[in-house]
Amino acid sequence: MPSEVLVAIIAFAGTAVGSVGGVLASSRLVNFRLDKIEDKLDKHNHFGDRLTRVETILDIKEEN
């Protein structure tokens, strides 16, 4: 096998491994960020429930 072909195969393998590694790292980071955004959204969505409970507690205290 000529040395040029061997060098080309090694370069291709390095490029492929680097590209796949970059895609996987980027995917992991995007998933991590989406999880954090979902957590914040869940906290925001439960704000109405918490506010209703506080208003109920305050109404009970005002009646006494």
Side-chain angles (χ1 to χ4, degrees):
M1 182 181 301
S3 64
E4 293 86 11
V5 174
L6 183 59
V7 169
I9 291 172
I10 292 171
F12 172 74
T15 302
V17 168
S19 295
V20 169
V23 168
L24 291 176
S26 175
S27 176
R28 258 184 292 166
L29 182 60
V30 168
N31 286 336
F32 174 77
R33 289 181 178 173
L34 282 174
D35 288 341
K36 293 298 177 184
I37 289 172
E38 287 173 353
D39 290 343
K40 288 181 181 180
L41 183 62
D42 286 341
K43 287 180 183 178
H44 175 75
N45 287 343
H46 294 297
F47 177 75
D49 296 336
R50 293 192 316 261
L51 186 60
T52 304
R53 282 188 232 137
V54 169
E55 288 174 342
T56 304
I57 291 170
L58 291 175
D59 286 345
I60 291 172
K61 287 184 178 181
E62 286 178 3
E63 289 177 2
N64 291 332

